Amino acid sequence: MRITGLGHAGMLIETVGGSILCDPVLGPSFYGSWFPFPDNRGLEWEKIGKADFLYISHRHRDHFDPRLLEKYVPKDIEVLLPEYVTDDLETDIRRLGYENITYAPAGGVIERGDLKIMITPLRAPSDGPIGDSSLSVDDGTASILNQNDSHPLDLEKLLSFGKPEAYFTQVSGAIWWPMVYDLPMDAKQNFARLKREAQNKRAMYYIEKVDAPHVFPMAGPPMFLRDDLFDFNGTGRNGESIFTDQKEFLAHLKELAPQYDGRLFIPGTVVEMNHGEMTVTQSLYSQAEIDHIFDEKWEYLEEQRAARQQEIRDEEATRAPVLPAEEMLAEIKAWWEPLLKKSRTIRNGVGGNVRFRIGDLDMVVDFPRAKVREYAGEECIYWYTIPADLVSTNIRDHEIDWSNSIFLSMQFSVGRSGKFNEFLTTFLKCLSNDRIEYVENWYQEQTDQTEDAQIGDWLVQRRCPHLRADLTRTGKIEDGVLTCSMHDWKWDLKTGKCLSSSGHPIRAEHCPVTEEALRPAI
């Protein structure tokens, strides 16, 4: 088996049963904001595009690049489609002209001779754009797990395919917190540090659970080449950003878990595996160039910024003309109010007004009353400032996921009066009837809290209120605070209050374990 790095989460897996093209992206993505780091334009894309199978893990544009597919990937390629609850990804793929689609059953094995493939989809509202997935591959000569940036809860099911020899996984985040928030610099620096620590902790959790001997960090970080975002590269010009690079994480891995063979995986990295033997070489960059990219990162980024401004201007030229304020309000009102009326759980979870300043439009979304109207001085729990051309383009394209477009572009600013509100973010990535109905049903199912479990001195509901991870495996209690290692959410067990987001309380009872209870039965 041969695995070639294509940049970001992209890879070409060549096996005895055919080649699989995974998440190829050239960018720029998210309104011209994200470029793969390091630059991957020098790869042989014409050759790469002639793979036997195409696998897109999910719909986020740093994994799904329509322009690259149209230019380099033939329409008759066999597409391996994850089993998602909504058909948004399939619709996108078919719109590009791809009709040779194999529906991959969730957790089922597809066999092509000696080649075995399993796609494990995730379907919670927080999983990418309502959906993310991982890819397991075994061709008899080697086995790998391409987890990209999915965060599976049921690792037993994932690893039922077999223990992988090589593990490819996300270690750098894909989020806009805290960079775009209206916060003092020292607060941003502190929150960014905590976020990086949480990302490292989550990555280490998966690495230790999967326990593959060889580990390849990937799926980020992005490269920001717009002038207004440039300082957010890496950990930030002033330490206010969250994007750990591959080399930084490899140093972290070596310090904490030297038993794992951590390897650099960038555009042009070639991993060859054959019955327990493995070699890793670089086909695109020399060692001197790699040293320059990582050890003189800001100089390298400046070179990239100077060379790629035309790509940014080309993207900006594709945006829609700015709608007049009254027309924009009418469009959003007609689109969102019917969805709000269907979103009882989400509306209760948001529980207040949210203000949007979009060019000349100043509007408020009244979640309790399911109304969109002009802002009239109401008290708001969140307030966004978004460029009018981005919103006009989303209206033109009827983009149902503003997380997957405007928010990950980081070309906006936001403030809030309290904690992070997951219900608000969920609504803004679910702007379609299918998504809203699914999410409302999903939240209703989350109220099933019938099973409790003992963790230390506490009896708590077994399933995490956030995404239902098994807290007996992911939970840790210190000083009365429960932390779920899956996403680093925290709860005060005395009150049951979630310390990470509005809502999501936990059921807990303090019941110290006595020596008598620990004594074995006779």
Side-chain angles (χ1 to χ4, degrees):
M1 186 183 295
R2 179 186 295 112
I3 305 99
T4 302
L6 305 182
H8 206 66
M11 63 175 67
L12 177 67
I13 308 169
E14 297 173 270
T15 78
V16 297
S19 55
I20 309 169
L21 177 57
C22 308
D23 289 348
V25 171
L26 271 168
S29 309
F30 306 125
Y31 283 119
S33 292
W34 288 44
F35 292 77
F37 172 83
D39 184 0
N40 63 346
R41 291 174 297 171
L43 294 169
E44 296 180 273
W45 287 105
E46 293 280 359
K47 180 180 178 182
I48 291 165
K50 293 179 173 60
D52 298 297
F53 305 96
L54 172 65
Y55 163 69
I56 305 295
S57 62
H58 63 295
R59 192 173 174 263
H60 270 162
R61 289 302 191 261
D62 57 329
H63 296 255
F64 171 49
D65 186 342
R67 287 169 296 182
L68 180 149
L69 297 179
E70 289 190 297
K71 186 172 183 179
Y72 294 113
V73 181
K75 295 295 187 289
D76 60 352
I77 193 171
E78 182 174 353
V79 180
L80 304 174
L81 186 70
E83 186 180 36
Y84 289 137
V85 293
T86 62
D87 61 1
D88 306 314
L89 179 59
E90 180 179 357
T91 298
D92 288 343
I93 288 172
R94 289 190 182 277
R95 188 179 291 126
L96 294 174
Y98 296 96
E99 299 290 344
N100 183 15
I101 292 177
T102 294
Y103 296 91
V109 177
I110 298 172
E111 297 191 34
R112 301 293 170 86
D114 291 332
L115 174 62
K116 297 180 181 179
I117 300 169
M118 184 176 79
I119 296 176
T120 306
L122 307 179
R123 305 182 178 100
S126 297
D127 294 322
I130 310 189
D132 204 337
S133 62
S134 57
L135 177 73
S136 302
V137 180
D138 190 325
D139 71 348
T141 71
S143 60
I144 70 167
L145 171 58
N146 169 12
Q147 190 173 308
N148 58 78
D149 49 3
S150 72
H151 305 142
L153 302 180
D154 191 345
L155 283 170
E156 288 183 4
K157 183 182 294 184
L158 180 67
L159 297 177
S160 67
F161 185 82
K163 181 178 177 179
E165 298 167 67
Y167 178 45
F168 299 79
T169 188
Q170 180 200 53
V171 298
S172 185
I175 195 66
W176 49 91
W177 162 266
M179 292 77 74
V180 303
Y181 272 78
D182 180 15
L183 291 167
M185 179 57 73
D186 60 345
K188 285 187 179 183
Q189 292 167 337
N190 181 54
F191 287 130
R193 177 183 58 81
L194 293 173
K195 182 65 176 175
R196 293 194 300 269
E197 290 174 358
Q199 291 171 170
N200 284 342
K201 190 185 303 181
R202 181 174 63 201
M204 290 303 303
Y205 168 84
Y206 279 112
I207 287 168
E208 291 168 356
K209 292 295 183 182
V210 172
D211 198 32
H214 307 290
V215 177
F216 295 84
M218 62 158 200
M223 183 162 57
F224 299 113
L225 304 181
R226 292 179 59 90
D227 291 341
D228 52 333
L229 302 179
F230 190 73
D231 285 354
F232 292 149
N233 277 296
T235 57
R237 183 81 77 175
N238 301 297
E240 78 279 34
S241 195
I242 64 163
F243 301 103
T244 305
D245 71 31
Q246 299 92 325
K247 190 172 181 179
E248 288 166 340
F249 183 80
L250 287 172
H252 179 75
L253 176 65
K254 185 175 182 179
E255 180 181 354
L256 267 63
Q259 68 271 29
Y260 297 109
D261 175 35
R263 297 296 190 102
L264 190 67
F265 191 68
I266 60 174
T269 300
V270 178
V271 183
E272 295 186 88
M273 305 172 64
N274 188 11
H275 295 96
E277 300 294 323
M278 189 182 80
T279 61
V280 180
T281 56
Q282 302 295 339
S283 65
L284 184 61
Y285 290 109
S286 68
Q287 187 58 52
E289 290 170 322
I290 292 171
D291 292 341
H292 174 59
I293 289 167
F294 289 98
D295 298 340
E296 299 168 332
K297 185 189 294 184
W298 287 104
E299 183 177 334
Y300 172 75
L301 292 168
E302 288 284 8
E303 294 163 0
Q304 287 287 305
R305 174 163 67 165
R308 306 189 70 174
Q309 291 303 300
Q310 186 60 48
E311 293 174 68
I312 295 172
R313 289 193 291 271
D314 290 345
E315 182 282 319
E316 291 174 342
T318 69
R319 298 180 188 178
V322 172
L323 294 171
E326 62 276 9
E327 185 177 342
M328 184 180 293
L329 178 62
E331 291 276 0
I332 295 175
K333 183 180 180 70
W335 180 4
W336 290 13
E337 283 191 351
L339 300 174
L340 287 164
K341 290 173 183 176
K342 295 183 176 184
S343 310
R344 183 178 299 276
T345 305
I346 289 175
R347 294 204 322 266
N348 290 338
V350 176
N353 297 318
V354 178
R355 183 181 180 186
F356 291 83
R357 288 173 286 191
I358 308 168
D360 294 333
L361 174 63
D362 197 349
M363 77 174 196
V364 66
V365 181
D366 184 337
F367 277 86
R369 294 177 176 81
K371 295 294 183 182
V372 177
R373 58 175 180 267
E374 289 188 12
Y375 177 67
E378 301 95 330
E379 183 177 345
C380 295
I381 61 170
Y382 265 74
W383 45 95
Y384 293 91
T385 302
I386 306 176
D389 59 342
L390 301 191
V391 174
S392 299
T393 305
N394 271 13
I395 291 172
R396 180 196 68 188
D397 298 342
H398 202 73
E399 173 53 63
I400 61 175
D401 184 352
W402 286 29
S403 163
N404 186 30
S405 50
I406 291 173
F407 290 174
L408 280 171
S409 80
M410 291 174 39
Q411 296 173 47
F412 75 108
S413 61
V414 59
R416 68 188 192 213
S417 61
K419 295 185 181 72
F420 165 68
N421 192 299
E422 183 191 37
F423 296 98
L424 173 58
T425 304
T426 297
F427 177 77
L428 292 170
K429 67 165 66 173
C430 296
L431 299 173
S432 72
N433 287 321
D434 288 349
R435 288 191 173 202
I436 283 293
E437 289 172 1
Y438 170 70
V439 167
E440 280 290 311
N441 291 332
W442 191 90
Y443 277 131
Q444 291 299 319
E445 292 173 2
Q446 299 304 92
T447 61
D448 179 13
Q449 300 173 350
T450 56
E451 187 177 2
D452 293 333
Q454 185 88 30
I455 304 178
D457 288 349
W458 290 86
L459 188 69
V460 302
Q461 64 187 63
R462 187 185 188 100
R463 294 292 174 179
C464 172
H466 177 215
L467 290 178
R468 294 184 67 76
D470 185 344
L471 290 170
T472 63
R473 301 182 180 186
T474 64
K476 182 179 180 181
I477 296 174
E478 291 183 355
D479 299 324
V481 174
L482 170 67
T483 300
C484 177
S485 61
M486 195 62 65
H487 296 94
D488 207 47
W489 279 40
K490 301 179 187 296
W491 287 265
D492 179 350
L493 293 179
K494 290 182 179 179
T495 64
K497 185 177 181 180
C498 181
L499 303 177
S500 302
S501 175
S502 301
H504 304 284
I506 198 169
R507 185 177 67 255
E509 179 183 355
H510 192 225
C511 49
V513 179
T514 64
E515 291 185 11
E516 182 178 349
L518 294 173
R519 192 175 300 131
I522 298 175

